[in-house]
Amino acid sequence: MFKKFSKEDIHSRSNIKSSVQRGLKSNFVDTYPGLEPIIDDIIPKKSQAILIKCEDKIQLYSIDNEIVLFQHFDDLVPTLKIVHKYSDCFPKVQVDRGAIKFVLSGANIMCPGLTSAGGNLPEENLEKDRIVTVYAEGKEHALAIGRLLMSSDEIKSKNKGHGIELIHYLGDGLWNLQE
Amino acid sequence: MNAKNILYCGICSFPPEYCEFGLSFNRCKQWLSENNSELFNQLYSDEALANATSTLSLEKEEKISKDLLKKQQKEEARVERELAKKLQSKVTIKRIERNKRKHIISITGLEVFDIELKKLSKTFSSKFATGCSISKTADKKDEILVQGDLSDEAKVFIENLLKEKGLNEVKVEQIDDKKIKKKAAATGAPA
Ligand SMILES: [Zn+2]
């Protein structure tokens, strides 16, 4: 989504109303219940979120000069910097070492990269369309965020084709965007 | 639960464990050894390298490192070439006489140094409270035109910009176009 993203894709910025900000916060927590105890650290009560409208109906939300999350249609997605800080609040999957360079070039993730010995999927099923954070064999931090193109159980059973649509990754246009 | 404090690489901006997949691995390593020796040892000491486990076959692992090395060497060569090109280039500030009292200056050669003309033109017009525009010279090079006799001011400003980019050695040349104007217009300025 952000492979070729740059400053030129930004259309406008505006402060959002506090009521809208409260709604955004509760949506964010609804999507990722793990955020509940720390949501006030990410979006403090007295902060002013700035909405940055971009090309392709992408909306970024920035707080204190840091983009913390973005919205694309119904998806509410944290930025990788937030995932790095609060890693345990989001569902995790893991690719094997062989997949890292493909992920870092923005490619969708193939099922075998998740089911091989170096990969990992959670035991309990994750539904199709869930937003997941992507980790890598031998690494501590997430390198990408994506959306499940099939449920995690299906990824295990089919083990063929694209399993995750890549949304945001280290080094993409959003990562490199300076606020 | 507290926010984790994450160190990001000062060269490639990734968490340092991912520097090996970037294009500036050598410079990244150098940076980390100077800025966080603890993490450097954790990632790159002989012991760490010996203990690094991977589920990939040895062949696959070798192929990954070979491909990466090739890419990184290519990138290093590119960076070097580009720096050499920059150091050989110069910025030219030409003072052009419009009539007895009015001058404009034409600044060329900026694009080589990744200086955004649009932005600089805006900065100039507000900083010097004057009109600025971007246009093309006779030989199709991008230029910024600034209204007013501001050659010296522009020189200082651009030199500072270059300094920020670590390009102190780049020359900013000032020329006065008074006499050669007619000739240059007739033959096209030399490249
Ligand atoms: Zn690095």
Side-chain angles (χ1 to χ4, degrees):
Chain A
M1 192 181 291
F2 295 103
K3 191 165 186 167
K4 294 206 174 108
F5 186 84
S6 75
K7 267 190 189 146
E8 274 84 65
D9 294 309
I10 293 179
H11 292 322
S12 69
R13 327 165 142 259
S14 53
N15 289 346
I16 63 173
K17 283 190 194 151
S18 56
S19 57
V20 177
Q21 184 162 333
R22 280 199 301 275
L24 178 72
K25 242 166 119 166
S26 69
N27 271 347
F28 201 24
V29 175
D30 285 347
T31 316
Y32 309 97
L35 284 173
E36 222 209 311
I38 48 94
I39 187 68
D40 282 339
D41 296 339
I42 301 179
I43 308 178
K45 284 212 169 84
K46 285 197 176 136
S47 65
Q48 170 66 61
I50 294 170
L51 164 64
I52 305 170
K53 286 193 177 163
C54 308
E55 194 69 29
D56 295 330
K57 301 232 165 19
I58 295 169
Q59 304 192 317
L60 314 176
Y61 291 94
S62 144
I63 296 198
D64 291 334
N65 296 321
E66 186 187 18
I67 298 167
V68 295
L69 73 150
F70 58 91
Q71 190 165 16
H72 188 239
F73 297 105
D74 288 337
D75 287 329
L76 215 49
V77 186
T79 56
L80 270 172
K81 294 241 163 89
I82 290 296
V83 172
H84 289 157
K85 276 188 205 157
Y86 304 101
S87 52
D88 294 333
C89 301
F90 308 98
K92 298 178 185 182
V93 300
Q94 181 175 306
V95 296
D96 62 36
R97 192 171 153 77
I100 297 178
K101 67 171 178 177
F102 297 107
V103 175
L104 291 179
S105 70
N108 286 346
I109 299 168
M110 312 296 284
C111 294
L114 296 156
T115 55
S116 66
N120 192 32
L121 288 163
E123 252 168 55
E124 84 277 21
N125 182 39
L126 293 169
E127 294 297 322
K128 175 176 182 287
D129 288 330
R130 276 291 288 276
I131 303 293
V132 293
T133 53
V134 181
Y135 291 75
E137 176 184 5
K139 306 292 183 200
E140 179 187 352
H141 303 295
L143 78 163
I145 298 171
R147 181 217 320 276
L148 290 178
L149 291 169
M150 48 179 109
S151 73
S152 61
D153 281 349
E154 263 179 291
I155 293 179
K156 289 177 197 165
S157 59
K158 284 195 180 147
N159 200 20
K160 233 178 24 195
H162 298 268
I164 294 176
E165 175 195 355
L166 212 64
I167 295 179
H168 171 34
Y169 57 95
L170 289 180
D172 71 4
L174 178 58
W175 176 263
N176 290 324
L177 189 71
Q178 280 175 7
E179 260 291 271
Chain B
M1 181 172 30
N2 286 322
K4 269 187 219 160
N5 214 341
I6 314 270
L7 174 82
Y8 292 111
C9 173
I11 304 294
C12 74
S13 82
F14 289 5
E17 57 179 358
Y18 287 108
C19 288
E20 57 167 330
F21 289 95
L23 292 174
S24 47
F25 190 31
N26 279 332
R27 280 188 298 142
C28 291
K29 270 208 274 193
Q30 176 77 27
W31 179 87
L32 193 63
S33 74
E34 286 162 11
N35 288 278
N36 192 321
S37 53
E38 196 184 329
L39 187 55
F40 180 86
N41 287 330
Q42 217 174 305
L43 290 173
Y44 306 121
S45 69
D46 292 341
E47 201 191 337
L49 291 175
N51 286 334
T53 51
S54 162
T55 57
L56 298 179
S57 66
L58 212 58
E59 289 147 70
K60 260 196 180 166
E61 195 58 55
E62 267 171 12
K63 187 174 177 317
I64 291 181
S65 10
K66 227 169 106 186
D67 286 353
L68 282 171
L69 192 66
K70 222 175 174 179
K71 264 202 213 157
Q72 284 155 359
Q73 281 168 343
K74 231 171 154 183
E75 173 68 9
E76 261 169 41
R78 194 187 64 80
V79 168
E80 238 166 69
R81 268 201 316 275
E82 232 164 54
L83 184 65
K85 188 174 151 204
K86 281 178 186 169
L87 291 178
Q88 278 167 18
S89 309
K90 63 181 177 191
V91 176
T92 307
I93 302 178
K94 194 155 71 174
R95 177 169 176 267
I96 306 167
E97 197 180 63
R98 265 286 150 91
N99 57 41
K100 278 273 147 53
R101 287 222 196 104
K102 279 193 179 156
H103 292 85
I104 55 170
I105 58 170
S106 149
I107 310 170
T108 49
L110 293 167
E111 62 283 350
V112 186
F113 307 105
D114 307 320
I115 295 174
E116 268 181 68
L117 296 192
K118 241 192 207 162
K119 220 169 117 190
L120 188 62
S121 151
K122 264 190 198 156
T123 316
F124 272 160
S125 60
S126 64
K127 192 171 160 65
F128 302 129
T130 183
C132 273
S133 60
I134 298 170
S135 103
K136 296 252 182 207
T137 60
D139 50 344
K140 301 243 165 76
K141 280 196 257 174
D142 288 325
E143 66 173 344
I144 295 185
L145 291 173
V146 187
Q147 307 288 329
D149 195 357
L150 294 162
S151 180
D152 294 338
E153 289 85 344
K155 180 177 196 264
V156 172
F157 191 86
I158 291 168
E159 276 173 346
N160 277 331
L161 267 187
L162 291 168
K163 212 185 263 171
E164 276 170 28
K165 290 173 180 276
L167 295 165
N168 314 28
E169 294 167 49
V170 172
K171 277 208 189 80
V172 178
E173 183 186 57
Q174 289 174 291
I175 3 180
D176 213 330
D177 199 37
K178 222 175 194 167
K179 288 163 210 155
I180 55 168
K181 197 162 121 195
K182 264 189 188 156
K183 209 171 138 198
T187 56

